[in-house]
Amino acid sequence: MSDTPRAAVVLRPGDPGYDAELAGFQTGFPVRPELVVGAADAGETAAAVAHAAARGLPVAVQATGHGLAGAIEGGVLITTRRMDGVRIDPVARTARIGAGVSWARVVAAAAPYGLAPLNGSSPGVGAVSYLLGGGLGLLAREYGYAADHVRAFGLVTADGRSRRVTAADEPELFWALRGGGPGLGVVTEVETGLVPVARLYGGSLLFDCSGDGAGARADEVVAAYLEWTRGLPDTLTSGVSVLVFPDLPMVPEFLRGRYTVSVRVAYTGTAAEGERLVAPLRALGPVLADSLREMPYTDSAAIHSDPEQPHAYYGDSAMIRTPDAGTVRELLAATGPAAPVMCVVQLNHLGGALAKEPDVPGAVPHREAEFLVRLLSPLAGTDRAALRALYGPVLGALAPLTVGRSRNFSFGDGARAEGLHGAGTADRLAGLRSVYDPANLFGRGLGV
């Protein structure tokens, strides 16, 4: 039996190119597998899985490296970046996406046909891992979770078999892969639906909450935002981000050290109606920046302007019912200027199509949640224990409103699974993993 699987790139620690092959967006957790396989297709992926299974080695997968849940030590890591094909069918309104593709390429490929994928705020995120976690996109309240629109998966299971997974051919696997997360094999390709969106009205309003009364001002803006979301059309998806910008050279000078609240908006209606809908937010007072405008969908990454440079970060999430004013004050007081470590708080407005089960059910959980709270902190120079000490009480304060956690927005706790799915869904997923991966090849907490 060969000591290495068949693949274009097979590397061990110390080999030239090993570190470059492992580079990804998340730099906060060590990634040191015993063997890294740069697979270019389903056949090379199957060879890598068979190699690991024959030796009892755990398997992890990395595309862009955004969603690492923790360190990867030992075992086999399959990198999928070479599976980079994107094919658009404008008649069927579908995209076939290789496992290494980021959303930016899908957006660009679909745009000439007046179509768009249900991607998230960051165009650099890997499409496949995002879909496996459910996928909360820029147009989520109108079209629902991105996973609900998947038509088929290419999947290599622990037995080394390459399967085409659809609702007709592999209904249980199809259910699980649409929101159930990783752990059932290596997805090599996805076919997913596109939506007829070529332009939107979107951008952000950035409020300065620095100085005396900073906490009260932030409370006021966030409370006004929450009130504003009541009765909005499903065609408007929005969120709010609250943070103290670090006083660092890479931050624009006018933002350094400022405590800000940013409201982000994506609306598929007319610009005139968008202006009318956001008027109550503009009435809250002067802003540091106002980027709301009509734009082609290809410019939609500017709505959130997520960082593009790799960095180290830690985060967790809570899917909640609508918070009251007291809960908002407690949340912002714990994470604002007086917090011992930097913390970005984001609230995403849910509901609309997100609350509806698709015609073909999937494993996306917690559809009853009304908001998603995300906590994110830089790891550079920060002790992880200090972040746990901050996050614990914050998430504890949200506990009475919490219905679960989001798989797409939980970083840094390794394989911690509590709250990601309800008990019935979790049991069903565990049962499927015992059938398709009885040796627990993919379930040893190595991350994705």
Side-chain angles (χ1 to χ4, degrees):
M1 184 179 294
S2 172
D3 288 336
T4 58
R6 175 180 61 81
V9 175
V10 179
L11 300 166
R12 297 181 184 277
D15 287 346
Y18 175 87
D19 291 331
E21 185 69 21
L22 299 176
F25 186 79
Q26 164 67 278
T27 64
F29 308 113
V31 178
R32 306 299 296 177
E34 177 181 324
L35 189 73
V36 57
V37 178
D41 54 32
E44 292 185 355
T45 302
V49 170
H51 175 90
R55 294 159 177 77
L57 298 173
V59 176
V61 185
Q62 179 175 315
T64 64
H66 277 73
L68 293 178
I72 296 174
E73 298 286 352
V76 175
L77 177 69
I78 300 172
T79 59
T80 64
R81 67 190 65 170
R82 292 167 182 80
M83 291 183 264
D84 60 356
V86 178
R87 283 170 285 173
I88 305 297
D89 183 334
V91 176
R93 292 181 178 174
T94 60
R96 293 186 70 176
I97 306 167
V101 173
S102 66
W103 279 121
R105 290 196 52 220
V106 188
V107 170
Y113 306 102
L115 300 172
L118 294 174
N119 56 289
S121 62
S122 175
V125 166
V128 167
S129 53
Y130 166 94
L131 290 167
L132 290 174
L136 181 65
L138 294 173
L139 309 177
R141 281 175 39 80
E142 182 170 2
Y143 292 104
Y145 285 99
D148 297 341
H149 295 257
V150 174
R151 312 283 182 85
F153 294 90
L155 180 74
V156 174
T157 42
D159 56 3
R161 177 180 168 189
S162 182
R163 306 167 185 258
R164 179 170 168 81
V165 178
T166 67
D169 297 332
E170 299 266 14
E172 282 294 286
L173 277 175
F174 188 67
W175 169 85
L177 292 171
R178 292 163 73 234
L184 284 163
V186 183
V187 174
T188 58
E189 184 181 66
V190 166
E191 181 182 330
T192 190
L194 303 171
V195 296
V197 174
R199 42 70 57 203
L200 49 76
Y201 173 84
S204 65
L205 294 172
L206 184 65
F207 295 89
D208 185 8
C209 298
S210 305
D212 294 339
R217 177 60 172 157
D219 294 348
E220 174 193 358
V221 174
V222 174
Y225 165 76
L226 293 173
E227 182 61 32
W228 175 73
T229 62
R230 297 179 187 273
L232 285 176
D234 293 351
T235 47
L236 194 155
T237 301
S238 67
V240 63
S241 177
V242 187
L243 75 152
V244 179
F245 278 94
D247 188 4
L248 295 172
M250 71 279 297
V251 177
E253 189 172 354
F254 79 103
L255 292 177
R256 293 176 192 170
R258 290 187 181 273
Y259 185 39
T260 64
V261 177
S262 176
V263 181
R264 288 86 174 265
V265 172
Y267 174 55
T268 57
T270 66
E273 181 61 11
E275 288 285 301
R276 187 190 69 80
L277 286 169
V278 301
L281 296 175
R282 286 201 170 112
L284 294 173
V287 295
L288 284 170
D290 179 344
S291 64
L292 289 166
R293 60 183 174 90
E294 186 162 28
M295 63 177 69
Y297 193 79
T298 49
D299 287 353
S300 60
I303 294 173
H304 289 251
S305 296
D306 287 342
E308 299 177 355
Q309 295 302 314
H311 61 283
Y313 53 94
Y314 181 98
D316 211 336
S317 62
M319 302 188 75
I320 65 170
R321 295 181 290 277
T322 303
D324 57 26
T327 302
V328 169
R329 283 195 300 272
E330 189 172 357
L331 171 63
L332 298 184
T335 57
V341 294
M342 180 182 174
C343 186
V344 181
V345 177
Q346 298 185 57
L347 287 87
N348 291 89
H349 184 208
L350 306 179
L354 294 165
K356 301 172 184 175
E357 287 285 348
D359 292 338
V360 179
V364 173
H366 313 313
R367 292 180 185 269
E368 72 275 26
E370 295 165 320
F371 286 87
L372 168 64
V373 177
R374 295 189 275 166
L375 306 177
L376 195 68
S377 297
L379 270 175
T382 302
D383 185 271
R384 232 167 285 178
L387 294 174
R388 295 191 190 99
L390 171 63
Y391 284 24
V394 171
L395 295 171
L398 294 172
L401 300 173
T402 298
V403 300
R405 296 166 64 228
S406 168
R407 181 175 285 279
N408 282 133
F409 301 110
S410 300
F411 314 108
D413 282 319
R416 185 166 76 89
E418 60 264 29
L420 293 178
H421 295 279
T425 297
D427 289 346
R428 186 174 172 185
L429 289 169
L432 286 168
R433 289 184 179 114
S434 70
V435 171
Y436 288 96
D437 184 16
N440 203 27
L441 200 67
F442 301 109
R444 304 184 189 179
L446 290 183
V448 256

